[in-house]
Amino acid sequence: MRERDGKFAGDDPFEIARAWLAEAGATEVNDPNAMALATVDASGLPNVRMVLLKDITDDAFWFYTNFGSAKSREIDATGKAAIVLHWKSLRRQIRVRGEVTREEGPEADAYYASRSLKSRLGAWASRQSEPLSSRAHLMAEVAKVTAAKGTNPERPPFWGGFKIAPVEIEFWADGAFRLHDRFVWRRESASDSWNVQRLNP
């Protein structure tokens, strides 16, 4: 029997990740694409928050946000980030570390256009991560934006995507008596071949 069979089988970690995400979509009660995004600030202090994974392509994990947010500023400063997807229903998780680039072109335009109108207007109204005097003030900003932008607002220039190109992807599955299964895929850069190793639990 191969070491990597069943849920771990395959020669492409992105395909394995997409398969796990699809399985989670059938079992998780809310947001199977929720992930913890970790960055570091200028002093090296770690920062982590939950965001939504929007796509797994053949070379990257994608999410979208306001470019003025704390996470965006921290990513811009380092060009690196880490994520964790954890599914309690499947007792599995995927950890990813890699280099990050912005996406401000057609892919960002298309995803923005696919969002609900209220979400698109909210992206214009929110100065993400900046202090807010009250919720009433935020709703007043939404009303102003709605009046100014109408029913088909363009994507804000300060809002778009980030692509995490992994140099490390770890697949973890729960095992009896804490004897978990872990396989890590590593490479020096996005253009290099993967090396796969089983890790101790």
Side-chain angles (χ1 to χ4, degrees):
M1 179 183 293
R2 290 179 55 192
E3 267 288 273
R4 287 191 304 106
D5 57 4
K7 66 180 76 74
F8 293 100
D11 298 319
D12 182 344
F14 298 101
E15 287 185 6
I16 299 171
R18 284 192 290 266
W20 284 27
L21 180 60
E23 284 187 67
T27 59
E28 289 291 299
V29 175
N30 292 308
D31 297 327
N33 60 330
M35 64 183 190
L37 170 70
T39 56
V40 294
D41 67 14
S43 70
L45 188 65
N47 215 345
V48 66
R49 75 288 283 163
M50 300 303 294
V51 300
L52 295 179
L53 173 70
K54 288 304 177 182
D55 199 8
I56 304 173
T57 56
D58 290 339
D59 61 350
F61 292 74
W62 293 62
F63 69 95
Y64 292 83
T65 192
N66 186 310
F67 290 144
S69 65
K71 58 184 167 297
S72 297
R73 294 194 303 270
E74 290 167 4
I75 287 171
D76 287 340
T78 65
K80 297 178 176 66
I83 59 172
V84 179
L85 291 139
H86 176 249
W87 301 292
K88 294 183 73 172
S89 61
L90 296 178
R91 297 180 180 272
R92 296 183 207 168
Q93 74 176 20
I94 300 174
R95 298 173 57 225
V96 176
R97 299 198 300 161
E99 300 173 354
V100 189
T101 55
R102 281 193 187 194
E103 173 51 56
E104 302 178 69
E107 289 90 347
D109 292 337
Y111 173 65
Y112 180 80
S114 75
R115 304 177 88 209
S116 71
L117 175 59
K118 288 185 178 180
S119 292
R120 283 178 281 156
L121 293 168
W124 274 102
S126 174
R127 294 171 174 81
Q128 197 172 110
S129 299
E130 293 184 15
L132 177 65
S133 60
S134 67
R135 183 164 184 84
H137 178 78
L138 176 62
M139 299 315 293
E141 289 298 312
V142 172
K144 288 180 190 176
V145 166
T146 301
K149 297 294 180 182
T151 59
N152 190 27
E154 72 278 15
R155 179 178 60 84
F158 52 81
W159 190 98
F162 281 107
K163 296 169 55 177
I164 304 174
V167 293
E168 184 174 304
I169 305 176
E170 181 189 315
F171 296 91
W172 176 99
D174 182 61
F177 309 109
R178 301 286 178 180
L179 299 178
H180 312 305
D181 288 308
R182 297 173 63 189
F183 289 92
V184 62
W185 299 62
R186 291 191 179 106
R187 58 186 179 180
E188 289 297 315
S189 72
S191 61
D192 292 322
S193 299
W194 291 104
N195 177 52
V196 188
Q197 288 182 309
R198 177 186 275 276
L199 300 179
N200 273 279

